């Protein structure tokens, strides 16, 4: 029942925005989705199963947004070869989503507060710096059976860094000569890690460091986006721009 499943996940997410996950009742989620409680249990098995499905949906939606941002960044930059501009678009999406979606922020940082469904037996915060240091992305999940996806480890900071990087490389490499692909991969890795680090500890924008200097017409989010954009562009500063495919030798 795809429609019922999405309605239930929507209802669970709405409930989570209003109260701590421990206070969310399955009967209320089912009622909000307009289905029976038995349908809810048939679909997810338990409250833990519902939580895992919800976390997975939100992180997959975030990663789909990264792919869209990379594509839009190319159009906005006016040149397919502006890798830095495309990564800036993906970084800006990441910051906006982390601010707006507590589940995505928790998955990116590894810190699950008391209000959220912890994806592991212990709700303790896992250091992003430690987790991302091991970063080899796990195999993607779409080809697995629903049961296997339900039981598979939920994505954490290391996997999300890796998948961010891999999506960036896949989007950008068609515009780059083969001999420059290692440099592109290194720049994408650095930019992805810098972006995730800015989610963990948002940079203090220059205009916000001195009291009274934050312009009234600029939001802190806009200034944070500018700050991460500078970091991402710095990661690409020494990488030569990829030659258009028609101009390669």
């Amino acid at each position: 029942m795809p429609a019922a499943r999405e309605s239930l996940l929507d209802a669970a997410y709405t409930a989570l925005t209003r109260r701590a996950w421990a206070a969310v009742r399955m009967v209320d989620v089912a009622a909000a989705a307009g289905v029976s409680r038995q349908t809810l249990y048939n679909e997810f098995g338990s409250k833990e199963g519902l939580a895992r499905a919800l976390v997975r949906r939100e992180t997959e939606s975030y990663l789909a947004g990264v792919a869209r941002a990379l594509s839009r960044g190319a159009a906005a930059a006016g040149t397919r070869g502006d890798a830095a501009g495309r990564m800036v678009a993906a970084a800006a999406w990441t910051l906006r989503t982390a601010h707006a979606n507590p589940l995505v922020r928790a998955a990116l940082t590894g810190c699950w507060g008391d209000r959220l469904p912890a994806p592991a037996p212990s709700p303790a915060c896992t250091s992003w710096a430690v987790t991302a240091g091991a970063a080899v992305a796990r195999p993607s999940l779409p080809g697995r059976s629903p049961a296997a996806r339900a039981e598979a480890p939920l994505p954490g900071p290391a996997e999300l860094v890796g998948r961010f990087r891999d999506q960036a490389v896949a989007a950008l490499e068609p515009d780059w000569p083969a001999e420059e692909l290692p440099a592109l991969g290194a720049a994408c890795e650095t930019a992805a890690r810098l972006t995730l680090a800015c989610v963990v500890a948002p940079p203090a924008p220059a205009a916000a460091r001195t009291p009274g200097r934050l312009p009234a017409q600029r939001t802190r989010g806009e200034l944070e986006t500018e700050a991460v954009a500078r970091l991402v562009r710095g990661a690409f500063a020494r990488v030569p721009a990829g030659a258009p495919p028609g101009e390669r030798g």
Side-chain angles (χ1 to χ4, degrees):
M1 303 176 63
R5 182 180 182 87
E6 286 304 307
S7 295
L8 286 163
L9 290 172
D10 289 342
Y13 184 82
T14 299
L16 183 60
T17 64
R18 297 173 178 170
R19 62 185 70 90
W21 182 250
V24 173
R25 300 194 309 163
M26 296 286 272
V27 64
D28 295 334
V29 172
V35 302
S36 68
R37 185 171 59 171
Q38 188 59 52
T39 297
L40 173 55
Y41 279 101
N42 289 346
E43 191 66 42
F44 299 104
S46 65
K47 187 176 180 181
E48 179 184 357
L50 174 62
R52 293 175 65 83
L54 182 59
V55 172
R56 194 176 302 287
R57 185 187 73 162
E58 297 306 307
T59 53
E60 291 298 328
S61 177
Y62 155 67
L63 289 167
V66 169
R68 291 193 300 270
L70 286 164
S71 176
R72 286 198 300 268
T79 171
R80 294 172 62 196
D82 186 5
R86 297 170 73 173
M87 284 296 285
V88 165
W93 162 258
T94 298
L95 261 63
R96 290 196 304 272
T97 307
H99 277 301
N101 190 317
L103 292 176
V104 172
R105 179 176 179 82
L108 288 170
T109 62
C111 294
W112 297 82
D114 293 339
R115 293 185 57 83
L116 300 177
S122 170
C125 174
T126 301
S127 166
W128 176 86
V130 172
T131 308
V136 175
R138 300 188 186 100
S140 59
L141 297 169
R144 299 184 184 179
S145 68
R149 287 198 300 270
E151 295 302 322
L154 291 172
E159 179 173 340
L160 292 173
V161 168
R163 292 181 67 181
F164 186 155
R165 174 204 61 217
D166 292 347
Q167 287 187 175
V169 171
L172 300 173
E173 66 180 359
D175 302 325
W176 290 63
E179 64 272 16
E180 293 175 4
L181 291 181
L184 172 64
C188 288
E189 174 84 17
T190 300
R193 288 174 177 271
L194 286 170
T195 300
L196 271 291
C198 288
V199 173
V200 174
R209 290 175 188 150
T210 303
R213 291 190 58 195
L214 184 63
Q217 70 275 21
R218 307 288 298 285
T219 67
R220 185 173 183 85
E222 289 171 336
L223 292 169
E224 287 179 358
T225 297
E226 288 182 2
V228 76
R230 286 193 295 272
L231 292 173
V232 169
R233 288 191 178 278
F236 282 83
R238 297 186 179 183
V239 181
E247 299 179 11
R248 296 176 188 172

